[in-house]
Amino acid sequence: MIQLSGVSKRFPTGLLAVSGVDMTVEASEIVAVIGPSGCGKSTVLRLIAGLDSPTSGMVRVAGHRVEGPSRSVGVVFQEPRLMPWLTVERNVSFGLHGEETAGPVAEALARVGLADFADALPKELSGGMAQRTAIARALVTKPPVLLLDEPFSSLDAFTRIDLQEHLLEVWGWYRPTMFLVTHDIDEALVLADRVIVFSGQPGSIEAEITVDLPRPRDRTDLAFHAFQDRAMKELGRSSRDRQARAQTPGSPSRAPSS
Ligand SMILES: Nc1ncnc2c1ncn2[C@@H]1O[C@H](COP(=O)(O)OP(=O)(O)OP(=O)(O)O)[C@@H](O)[C@H]1O
Ligand SMILES: [Mg+2]
């Protein structure tokens, strides 16, 4: 459903943010990406969303080359980005034009547990409810792909765990392919079929961990702890690699000045 082949991104500043990324995400798979700050996770997500274009290589979604934002892809960011003057319902229906909105909006709101808040304004919502509204907005057209960039990282620990459970329920609705960027190893391990560990700079895939634990996953389980240890080790390796690269003269992350 998502395919990156030899994808690199160099920004006009000369910074090589991502280099040679090959990655495939199958239909209905949940993939989480973890890695140190600045290693290029959001850049990769933006390339998949069509919000930015690669310098080289190709990004495909559902078999089509990504050439800009598309209706096949819903995106949720760290902040809900709701329009404060519109109700929850109008925020969710905002991107729908000239089509029947009432049914899909009601269904999306019910799926995220906000059926009773359709007429509320964003200022009347808690942080978790606002983010659930953002998820409903991303999924109202049932896009086959949902991209989430640290969607729960500004929420308190209780709300975060609650929303992780909600997200799995929402996934069960029509099983979209999910690509989740997170700083939270437990979040990655609770949600994902596969965790990709990124290292930077430039950002590249350091390791992949297949999380073959049944759901719902128990964070206190020994098998879960074994995955936590493994992810911590891979992350540690990726941070050390990054520091080593930063200290190497002629490091490839910046273009030679001309
Ligand atoms: N538009 C841009 N122009 C120039 N450099 C950019 C741009 N966007 C990102 N970068 C740089 O590219 C690198 C990767 O950024 P990115 O936002 O993808 O990292 P990240 O892994 O998502 O980090 P974080 O975990 O802090 O969100 C960083 O060094 C960042 O400064
Ligand atoms: Mg980021």
Side-chain angles (χ1 to χ4, degrees), residues 11-118:
F11 285 108
T13 54
L15 182 94
L16 183 61
V18 174
S19 175
V21 171
D22 293 308
M23 183 180 84
T24 303
V25 184
E26 305 295 338
S28 296
E29 198 182 7
I30 305 178
V31 166
V33 179
I34 56 176
S37 183
C39 73
K41 305 178 295 294
S42 297
T43 301
V44 167
L45 183 138
R46 290 174 57 81
L47 294 174
I48 300 169
L51 298 170
D52 215 335
S53 50
T55 316
S56 57
M58 201 192 292
V59 183
R60 285 196 187 86
V61 167
H64 299 286
R65 185 182 191 136
V66 173
E67 285 172 323
S70 112
R71 287 179 63 112
S72 303
V73 179
V75 191
V76 178
F77 296 98
Q78 186 173 340
E79 338 72 57
R81 303 190 182 187
L82 303 178
M83 275 167 280
W85 61 91
L86 295 180
T87 62
V88 163
E89 185 175 35
R90 294 285 309 284
N91 266 287
V92 171
S93 68
F94 188 76
L96 306 172
H97 300 290
E99 50 205 295
E100 204 267 306
T101 61
V105 171
E107 165 140 47
L109 285 178
R111 293 286 176 178
V112 299
L114 287 180
D116 294 338
F117 291 85

Side-chain angles (χ1 to χ4, degrees), residues 120-140:
L121 286 169
K123 66 178 180 199
E124 297 164 330
L125 304 176
S126 67
M129 290 158 85
Q131 203 53 324
R132 282 190 269 153
T133 306
I135 294 172
R137 181 185 53 197
L139 290 180
V140 67

Side-chain angles (χ1 to χ4, degrees), residues 168-179:
L168 280 179
E169 280 168 29
V170 166
W171 176 82
W173 172 20
Y174 70 98
R175 303 192 167 221
T177 305
M178 287 193 188
F179 182 86

